[in-house]
Amino acid sequence: MRPCFGGRTLDQYEEIAAFLRQRLPLLPRIALVLGSALGSLAEAIEDPFVLRYEDIPGFLHATVASHKGELLCGRLGGQEVLCLSGRFHGYEGYAYEDLALPIRVLHLLGVRQLILTNAAGAIRPEWRPGEIMLLEDHIQLNGATPLRGPHLPEFGPRFFDVSQLYSQRLRDMAFECAEELGIPLRQGVYYFAPGPQFETPAEIRAMRILGGDCVGMSTVPEALAAAQVGMEVAAFSMLSNMAAGVVGNKVSGEEVDEVGGRTAPQLAALIEALLAKLGS
Ligand code: HPA
């Protein structure tokens, strides 16, 4: 029997890229992905050209309420940017292979730098909701990789290094920007949990022992797809809540959205400053 492979063919990725090349007014080299409750970051983009995901043939559709489902193209921090306002997750029912699609399309469009954002639960007890963490590294031990399937050499080697996935250069620049803006910035390890349920306190204790500083349900699949094609990656976690049980607490989706909405302007300022520095 022929095995049933997930993912897409190169032609399918190329078709989406060709459609976008015709429609987009600019072909920026920098892209942003906006996570849960961070959609308001898109409002800072000047003169945006907007395409709804469902109007892009072959693209994925955003199903999570706090994710808008729009591709924006415009200027932020003086730089031309593409912005995915709303992302895709395994817990929506997407195969992990599907999650490589937006990133591979961005690569075909010429994007070289990727800034990822997410909402995450703080595992470190001394951290607080509302703080921002820069990813130094991640842990993903459940096999949830978008890179399974037939190897397409156009998207990089099958076996590749991820020992420096989150760019030291971009992290240094982000810390400089944070200092200039007076925004406290944490740095740590993001533990990927598949969701959609939040974690049990015992799972959080295990993650802490394994070296996780915060926990979330996104970012890692995109970061892996980006690393394979050789993009320079930076990722920010907005700490929307204390992870389950860290301070004897429960976790709620409402808290994630409320704190995310409140913290989004700070993260937007930081990203805008980072983009301006990248262009200087
Ligand atoms: N766990 C997993 N994902 C999350 C959390 C959390 O506590 N907060 C925001 N996203």
Side-chain angles (χ1 to χ4, degrees):
M1 200 171 76
R2 210 173 144 264
C4 176
F5 290 128
R8 303 290 192 285
T9 62
L10 182 61
D11 282 352
Q12 287 173 308
Y13 293 117
E14 297 270 20
E15 267 171 40
I16 303 171
F19 173 88
L20 290 172
R21 248 182 242 113
Q22 279 194 343
R23 296 289 188 294
L24 296 172
L26 310 163
L27 288 177
R29 295 176 71 78
I30 305 175
L32 305 175
V33 178
L34 304 184
S36 295
L38 298 169
S40 65
L41 256 75
E43 285 159 22
I45 296 178
E46 293 158 32
D47 302 326
F49 172 86
V50 184
L51 270 176
R52 296 198 53 76
Y53 291 163
E54 55 256 44
D55 296 330
I56 307 173
F59 210 66
L60 310 179
H61 295 190
T63 72
V64 184
S66 62
H67 289 252
K68 256 191 149 168
E70 290 175 347
L71 176 67
L72 292 93
C73 182
R75 286 186 162 273
L76 189 62
Q79 296 269 20
E80 294 175 358
V81 292
L82 276 173
C83 174
L84 289 162
S85 179
R87 62 144 59 86
F88 315 100
H89 312 79
Y91 66 71
E92 293 171 78
Y94 285 115
Y96 280 98
E97 292 89 316
D98 289 333
L99 305 184
L101 184 142
I103 306 302
R104 289 181 168 177
V105 169
L106 292 176
H107 168 70
L108 292 174
L109 291 174
V111 168
R112 304 300 306 137
Q113 281 151 335
L114 184 67
I115 300 176
L116 302 166
T117 65
N118 62 60
I123 296 179
R124 279 185 173 267
E126 71 274 23
W127 289 2
R128 286 290 161 264
E131 293 180 336
I132 299 170
M133 188 198 91
L134 195 53
L135 272 71
E136 179 182 5
D137 206 343
H138 73 236
I139 299 176
Q140 185 275 103
L141 299 176
N142 52 19
T145 171
L147 306 173
R148 280 162 40 101
H151 178 226
L152 300 174
E154 292 75 7
F155 297 118
R158 164 149 264 169
F159 304 105
F160 61 99
D161 182 71
V162 286
S163 65
Q164 292 166 15
L165 203 167
Y166 301 96
S167 158
Q168 184 68 56
R169 184 178 87 102
L170 295 183
R171 284 191 279 141
D172 289 347
M173 290 168 88
F175 272 108
E176 281 170 30
C177 294
E179 202 175 321
E180 283 158 21
L181 293 169
I183 296 175
L185 185 59
R186 305 287 195 180
Q187 182 167 227
V189 174
Y190 178 96
Y191 200 111
F192 175 82
Q197 73 286 344
F198 292 114
E199 300 69 33
T200 65
E203 286 166 345
I204 296 297
R205 286 195 297 276
M207 290 176 187
R208 179 81 197 107
I209 290 167
L210 290 174
D213 297 310
C214 76
V215 55
M217 305 173 193
S218 68
T219 299
V220 170
E222 294 144 359
L224 290 171
Q228 190 184 32
V229 296
M231 284 183 192
E232 194 176 20
V233 179
F236 294 89
S237 288
M238 186 275 300
L239 303 174
S240 55
N241 56 283
M242 298 310 291
V246 171
V247 288
N249 60 305
K250 289 187 174 185
V251 182
S252 78
E254 290 72 31
E255 183 186 12
V256 171
D257 289 345
E258 192 269 313
V259 179
R262 221 168 354 101
T263 314
Q266 264 205 342
L267 187 51
L270 191 53
I271 289 176
E272 209 169 326
L274 177 61
L275 290 168
K277 207 175 269 294
L278 265 173
S280 64

